[in-house]
Each structure stands twice: as structure tokens, then as C-alpha cells.
Amino acid sequence: MRQFLAAVAAGALLLGAGGASAKETVIKFSHVVAEKTPKGQAALKFKEEAEKLLPGKVKVEVYPNSQLFGDAKEMEALALGDVHIIAPSLSKFNRFTKKLQVFDLPFLFDDIAAADRFQASPKGQELLTSMASKGFVGLAYWHNGTKQLSATKALLVPDDAKGLKFRVQPSDVLAAQFQAVGAVPQKLAFAEVYQALQVGTVDGQENTWSNIYSQKYQEVQKHFTESNHGLIDYMVVVNAGWWKGLPKDVQAGLTKAMAAATKVNNDIANNLNEEAKKKVAAASGVTIHQLTPQQRSAWKKAMAPVWSKFEGEIGKDLIQAAQTANATN
Ligand code: LMR
């Protein structure tokens, strides 16, 4: 009896020290960005909240920086159940649904608040389940911010981009956006961009300030243009079968933790991008170009044909609903 009690006590000690109990669910959350980005911070907040709300029931392992899986692989891994939560940018779901392409239309949202209103609207919420038949379910949208252009030369008018090669995420809309200004798009995984810019495989790219700074693009690109021409936001997705199979109390706790992480993400995203912009501006040899209203209009006009090209795939109703979100101020 004494031996038995000692064994129980030792077991309890082990568990207290972080050992996994038989019932503890290990949740792998994989993403491709640095920890000091909105998504990086939000993923850590999710871990903290989930483990606080569900002590001994879940253990969340966060893998940043494409450490576990890169862009395409993380989707496959989610489908196979090798990871449980991922949060790809909305531009990366092309293979699973054409509807999410709406978020890539250039100059669609006036600002992040408009994107937020659209995501919270019935049509935006419906999109969370638009990949259910493929086994993916969206739990939340997370903001990053608006995209800025950079290249080996100053980009002030659309003609400046002519003939240049730009890295794009795996999105046909984004590819068409660069083709519309006579540039050459190249789809590349996020983890490959720095090197591609460094060795000249591509001449330019588009991303948010927090991604630009945390990936050190300012070391290999000297001309940035504050164009705010598009959006990088995320959908946090889980494997539908795995999610459904979770005990109800675990699901409820994770839903709560996700709400807390979403709030943190959206509260800090703007500041992180602003801070990152200042750091990029301070980097050696870097110029951040501002567009005049006329120059910005010229980019908008040059990229406008992309809308009609993808209207059939995305759906006119969805595009209109997204546009309506701009007017709700
Ligand atoms: C990119 O590939 O540029 C972004 O989607 C990376 C990210 O997750 O923000």
C-alpha cells in the first residue's frame, strides 16, 4: 500500500512538472511568421489562455517561422492531422475555395476597419465554413494589415513596375494584379522570399510592415512604397474532424482561448506595423516613398481589371458585400 501511494505521489509530481497525462491533448499550432508579429504574438496568447482554461487537459505547442511546416506543407499537414491549428493568410486558400480570393482584390478595403466589418458580417462569417467539405473549418479571422510594395527601384507610378519580377503568395488574383501593371509575378513560399530578393530571383515584393521588418527585407530592398494597396489577414483553421472529435468542454475552452487571442492580435496589429515601419525607415539606405493622390489613383486604375477577371469565380454578391463594408463609417 505504501509503495502504491508513493507511486501515485511520484506520478502526481511528474504531472505537476509538466508530464503529459493520458487525457492531455497535445495541440500543434504551426505558422510561418516571426514571433514578434501580430500572428506570432496571438498564437502565444492562444497557448497561454488555452492552458490556463484547460489545465492538464491541453498542451499547446506553437511552431513559428515555418519551423515545422512551410506554406504548402502546413495545409497538407492539417489535412493529415499532423498539425491541429494553422493560420495562413487569406491569399493561401486558393486550392480549397475560390471565394476567399475576394480578400486579394487590389484596393478593395479603405482600411482594416472595413475589412473587419466585412469579416464580422453574415457573408464574412459564412466564409469561415466555405472549406468544410474539404475538411477545414475556420475559427477566427486575425488581422495583420495593409501591404506595401518594395523593389530594387522607386515605385511611384504603375509603369515603374513594368518588367520587374515580384514575389507573390500562391494567389491567382495577386499574380494578375502584377500582370496588370506589366510586371512578372512569381509565386514563392514565405520562407524563400528573403533569399530570392537577395540573389535577384525576384526584384520586388508586397507585404505588411511587420512582416517586412521581421524578415529583414530592408537589408535587401532599398525602395519601399507606402501603397496600402491590399490586405494581409488570416483565417485560423482547424481540421474539422479533429475539432468535432474534441470533448465538449475542451472545445468550449479552446473557443474562449481563441476569442482572447483574436482580441490581442487585433489590438496589437496596428501598433506592431507602425513600429516596424519606423524601424524599416531607419535602416541604412532605405527610402520609403509616399504616393500623391494622383499616383495612388493611377495604381488603382491600372489594377482595376483584376476585379472583373475574377468576378465570376468569387461572385458578384460577395464583392459587393465587401465593398459595402467601406461605406459603413
Ligand atoms: C506571406 O506569405 O507573405 C504571408 O502570408 C506570411 C504571413 O503569414 O503573414
Side-chain angles (χ1 to χ4, degrees):
M1 183 64 177
R2 191 173 284 175
Q3 257 173 354
F4 172 73
L5 284 178
V8 169
L13 263 181
L14 258 181
L15 282 179
S21 81
K23 280 199 222 126
E24 193 173 66
T25 303
V26 174
I27 301 173
K28 290 187 181 173
F29 188 153
S30 168
H31 66 80
V32 301
V33 294
E35 283 191 336
K36 279 192 186 147
T37 56
K39 181 163 62 179
Q41 292 293 298
L44 292 174
K45 178 70 183 173
F46 174 75
K47 169 182 169 64
E48 182 192 316
E49 285 296 310
E51 291 178 354
K52 197 165 81 191
L53 290 166
L54 299 162
K57 291 193 175 169
V58 300
K59 181 170 184 290
V60 181
E61 295 174 355
V62 180
Y63 298 92
N65 281 320
S66 309
Q67 209 176 78
L68 195 59
F69 298 108
D71 284 334
K73 287 270 179 271
E74 70 177 10
M75 304 262 188
E76 280 168 34
L78 188 73
L80 291 170
D82 291 341
V83 284
H84 308 97
I85 308 184
I86 59 174
S89 97
L90 295 165
S91 315
K92 293 182 179 166
F93 292 102
N94 237 5
R95 279 188 292 153
F96 304 98
T97 173
K98 297 295 171 199
K99 297 273 169 208
L100 289 174
Q101 294 186 120
V102 66
F103 290 102
D104 281 339
L105 294 176
F107 296 96
L108 171 63
F109 295 114
D110 289 347
D111 49 28
I112 290 292
D116 193 78
R117 281 192 292 272
F118 174 59
Q119 289 164 1
S121 73
K123 284 246 183 266
Q125 290 293 298
E126 261 173 41
L127 291 175
L128 291 172
T129 52
S130 59
M131 295 176 282
S133 64
K134 310 273 166 38
F136 290 0
V137 169
L139 296 186
Y141 289 105
W142 285 357
H143 296 311
N144 184 332
T146 46
K147 287 182 289 189
Q148 322 300 340
L149 292 165
S150 74
T152 45
K153 59 184 264 208
L155 300 173
L156 297 175
V157 292
D159 262 2
D160 293 333
K162 227 175 215 161
L164 296 184
K165 286 175 268 157
F166 283 85
R167 178 267 171 165
V168 289
Q169 300 177 78
S171 151
D172 293 343
V173 175
L174 297 181
Q177 168 195 274
F178 281 106
Q179 279 158 348
V181 295
V184 184
Q186 196 148 327
K187 291 177 183 170
L188 280 179
F190 187 56
E192 291 165 23
V193 183
Y194 178 93
Q195 211 194 355
L197 290 167
Q198 189 181 38
V199 303
T201 312
V202 291
D203 308 299
Q205 62 82 45
E206 53 167 10
N207 224 311
T208 61
W209 290 120
S210 57
N211 275 348
I212 288 167
Y213 180 69
S214 58
Q215 295 300 310
K216 302 190 171 76
Y217 295 164
Q218 67 278 5
E219 291 178 357
V220 287
Q221 295 269 271
K222 294 304 166 199
H223 292 278
F224 292 84
T225 299
E226 188 152 50
S227 49
N228 294 311
H229 62 283
L231 179 76
I232 289 206
D233 268 7
Y234 308 107
M235 190 185 284
V236 187
V237 287
V238 291
N239 176 307
W242 170 78
W243 182 251
K244 262 194 226 143
L246 289 173
K248 286 289 159 261
D249 63 325
V250 172
Q251 220 186 67
L254 294 181
T255 303
K256 241 180 169 173
M258 187 54 66
T262 302
K263 180 159 173 20
V264 162
N265 181 90
N266 295 349
D267 285 350
I268 63 173
N270 190 41
N271 276 351
L272 281 182
N273 279 309
E274 284 301 310
E275 278 168 24
K277 175 182 151 188
K278 285 190 198 131
K279 289 177 184 157
V280 172
S284 152
V286 161
T287 308
I288 298 183
H289 303 280
Q290 300 297 331
L291 298 175
T292 64
Q294 290 79 3
Q295 287 169 336
R296 195 161 187 276
S297 295
W299 285 93
K300 193 171 172 178
K301 195 169 161 212
M303 291 176 170
V306 175
W307 286 45
S308 42
K309 188 164 184 217
F310 288 90
E311 190 183 274
E313 284 185 11
I314 298 169
K316 210 174 182 163
D317 56 330
L318 206 52
I319 298 177
Q320 269 167 3
Q323 275 181 295
T324 309
N326 283 328
T328 323
N329 275 318

